[in-house]
């Protein structure tokens, strides 16, 4: 395992992994917010009017 760190710089690798993970998390959140089930808070006035009827 230690030979891998001779090839890859640990700081660059950690930054790359964290950046990739952050981008995947943000992509996942935006995909979920684009679905009708999870974006109800964005359409709250419309949902509130529908609930009053």
């Amino acid at each position: 395992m230690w030979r891998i760190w001779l090839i890859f710089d640990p700081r660059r690798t950690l930054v790359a992994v964290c950046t990739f993970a952050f981008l995947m998390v943000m992509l996942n959140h935006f995909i979920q917010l684009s679905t009708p089930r999870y974006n109800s808070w964005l359409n709250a006035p419309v949902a509130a009017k529908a609930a009053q009827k």
Side-chain angles (χ1 to χ4, degrees):
M1 186 71 179
W2 62 272
R3 291 179 191 226
I4 292 175
W5 298 119
L6 294 176
I7 298 170
F8 299 109
D9 180 27
R11 289 172 294 182
R12 276 191 185 175
T13 305
L14 185 62
V15 168
V17 167
C18 290
T19 303
F20 177 75
F22 178 77
L23 291 174
M24 287 295 108
V25 166
M26 293 306 293
L27 178 66
N28 185 14
H29 280 80
F30 284 125
I31 289 173
Q32 286 186 351
L33 283 175
S34 69
T35 62
R37 181 176 178 182
Y38 293 110
N39 75 344
S40 61
W41 66 275
L42 293 173
N43 300 325
V46 177
K49 288 180 184 176
Q52 289 176 353
K53 289 183 180 181

